[in-house]
Amino acid sequence: MIYCLVIIQYVYEAAAGAKTGFEMGMNDARNYQHTDLFHFKVEPNNGQLTFPEMIVNTLTGEKMIAEAGEYKVKIAIPFGDRPVSLVVFDIIKTASAFFMLAILIYIPFLFFSIIKLVNKGGILEPKTIKKISRIGWLLLIIFIFNTLIYDIFDPIMASKVIQIEGYKIIPNLSNLSSLFLSIIVLFLGEILKHTAKLKEEQDLTI
């Protein structure tokens, strides 16, 4: 149930993003430009905790040294000045978003079919174990796609058109939750496979 709510929220956010993207696209077409959105981690050129910027505390008016950890940036680039690599990357990113959405929709169907098999006492059936392992592999695919596209290549593409004073753009490799979840599910599948094999050998012995 919770997973279904997550999917609904994902679709809702995707629809809102698509609407915003369409409006931005219409505006860009009128101005012969393309607006790119980037979300990336940054690190000060001189290392962490060097506080390269100054901000104002509006409560006291006091100036404070500060350091950002990440930025969300919107930048408009004329069509003729947009790197080909960025255009290709946008196409890949859009296609991968639909691909991952399809996986996120498919996983609940697998999950409910597993629950149905378990309720019938088929937890050690080969098809049950195969479906559990399939969920694990799908979660691993999601992690790989997210890591490659959003955590590694997105910062690389951003660095082609953006330079922030005092900072360097770096990959974000801190989001490992889907990796851990996929490993746990795959490990569960292997345990059930081994258990089913032991049960089969025990039945043959009897």
Side-chain angles (χ1 to χ4, degrees):
M1 186 67 181
I2 294 174
Y3 190 89
C4 290
L5 291 174
V6 171
I7 295 298
I8 292 171
Q9 182 183 4
Y10 184 90
V11 172
Y12 176 78
E13 290 176 353
K19 180 183 177 183
T20 303
F22 177 77
E23 291 171 353
M24 287 170 52
M26 293 296 292
N27 183 61
D28 287 345
R30 286 191 292 269
N31 296 310
Y32 299 100
Q33 64 184 22
H34 186 278
T35 299
D36 287 287
L37 303 175
F38 295 104
H39 183 196
F40 48 79
K41 289 190 70 174
V42 294
E43 183 179 277
N45 290 331
N46 296 325
Q48 292 185 354
L49 302 179
T50 54
F51 304 102
E53 59 184 288
M54 191 78 69
I55 60 175
V56 177
N57 183 347
T58 56
L59 291 176
T60 63
E62 177 189 3
K63 291 184 178 180
M64 305 177 297
I65 57 173
E67 177 176 316
E70 61 182 48
Y71 277 106
K72 291 181 180 179
V73 176
K74 182 166 71 171
I75 178 172
I77 308 172
F79 287 130
D81 297 336
R82 202 157 179 258
V84 175
S85 57
L86 191 56
V87 176
V88 173
F89 178 69
D90 272 353
I91 295 171
I92 294 172
K93 187 159 64 171
T94 302
S96 68
F98 283 107
F99 177 66
M100 285 191 287
L101 178 60
I103 291 177
L104 289 171
I105 293 172
Y106 177 53
I107 287 177
F109 287 99
L110 280 175
F111 180 76
F112 290 132
S113 66
I114 290 169
I115 295 296
K116 192 174 179 181
L117 289 168
V118 170
N119 288 336
K120 291 180 179 179
I123 190 170
L124 295 179
E125 291 290 327
K127 57 184 177 181
T128 304
I129 298 171
K130 192 176 292 184
K131 288 182 178 182
I132 291 172
S133 297
R134 191 178 301 164
I135 289 177
W137 286 114
L138 289 173
L139 291 172
L140 185 60
I141 289 171
I142 290 174
F143 166 75
I144 291 172
F145 267 78
N146 275 331
T147 300
L148 287 176
I149 292 173
Y150 297 104
D151 298 338
I152 296 178
F153 284 109
D154 210 28
I156 291 174
M157 292 298 115
S159 64
K160 290 180 178 294
V161 292
I162 299 170
Q163 285 187 349
I164 300 174
E165 184 179 1
Y167 290 97
K168 56 186 175 183
I169 298 172
I170 60 173
N172 177 18
L173 301 176
S174 59
N175 187 16
L176 301 175
S177 56
S178 57
L179 174 62
F180 291 141
L181 183 59
S182 66
I183 291 172
I184 290 170
V185 175
L186 288 170
F187 187 63
L188 175 62
E190 287 301 313
I191 290 175
L192 291 175
K193 188 186 295 183
H194 185 66
T195 304
K197 187 177 180 181
L198 289 175
K199 185 178 181 300
E200 185 180 348
E201 292 175 353
Q202 192 177 37
D203 292 342
L204 289 174
T205 303
I206 295 173

